[in-house]
């Protein structure tokens, strides 16, 4: 009879305690000022977890506040679009309409395609410079 080698396994108590990323994301979202928006990617980066934009979406979807009175202003986080724009990316039409209505009540405007200008309404963190509009071209006399 052959003796079986005993494999040593770490006990669960010895394992590293998992860290909740969600609270990191909520902390960032709570700092977004009224009338400003940001993208999932910016929240992930500012929360210390770059390249985790999808996880930000999971964290915000878990809030489950139908009245929009959450202590976390989830409506201020939008999906990134080309040309420095962002848009509502919630697939559920009722929740998407609620997000848009909440943002419009804060003064955020949408263009005809449902996009928000990040140049005008974007927020990139407390230390970031306030976005400015592109310089206007002078008319020829």
């Amino acid at each position: 009879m052959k003796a079986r080698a005993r494999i040593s396994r770490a006990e669960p108590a010895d394992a590293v305690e998992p860290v909740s990323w969600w609270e990191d994301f909520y902390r960032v979202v709570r700092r977004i000022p009224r009338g400003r928006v940001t993208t999932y990617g910016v929240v992930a980066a500012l929360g210390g977890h770059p390249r985790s934009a999808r996880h930000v979406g999971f964290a915000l979807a878990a809030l489950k506040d139908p009245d929009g009175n959450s202590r976390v202003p989830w409506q201020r986080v939008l999906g990134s679009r080309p040309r420095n724009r962002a848009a509502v990316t919630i697939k559920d039409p009722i929740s998407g309409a609620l997000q848009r209505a909440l943002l419009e009540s804060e003064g955020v405007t949408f263009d005809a395609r449902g996009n928000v200008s990040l140049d005008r309404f974007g927020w990139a963190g407390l230390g970031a410079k306030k976005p400015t509009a592109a310089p206007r071209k002078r008319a020829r006399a």
Side-chain angles (χ1 to χ4, degrees):
M1 205 170 176
K2 252 186 175 176
R4 292 173 33 185
R6 186 170 186 169
I7 300 172
S8 174
R9 296 180 189 218
E11 294 295 319
D14 296 338
V16 176
E17 185 176 310
V19 178
S20 172
W21 291 7
W22 290 11
E23 191 54 43
D24 296 337
F25 300 146
Y26 295 152
R27 194 173 306 114
V28 172
V29 175
R30 282 187 200 105
R31 295 188 334 215
I32 304 170
R34 184 176 174 80
R36 296 282 180 193
V37 297
T38 194
T39 63
Y40 295 100
V42 170
V43 172
L46 292 175
H49 306 283
R51 300 181 57 93
S52 299
R54 186 172 295 195
H55 293 278
V56 174
F58 295 147
L60 296 179
L63 291 172
K64 303 283 187 204
D65 186 10
D67 298 328
N69 294 326
S70 173
R71 294 180 59 211
V72 178
W74 60 269
Q75 73 275 10
R76 297 178 187 157
V77 182
L78 301 172
S80 180
R81 295 289 183 261
R83 294 183 205 82
N84 211 23
R85 302 231 180 261
V88 172
T89 56
I90 299 174
K91 301 292 184 205
D92 172 30
I94 294 172
S95 297
L98 173 63
Q99 183 177 21
R100 182 173 175 148
L102 289 170
L103 288 172
E104 287 175 336
S105 72
E106 294 181 5
V108 176
T109 59
F110 290 78
D111 66 14
R113 292 186 172 186
N115 293 320
V116 174
S117 170
L118 292 175
D119 290 331
R120 185 169 175 198
F121 297 104
W123 179 83
L126 293 177
K129 293 180 182 178
K130 184 177 176 182
T132 58
R136 295 182 180 197
K137 293 183 181 180
R138 296 172 70 182
R140 292 185 181 189

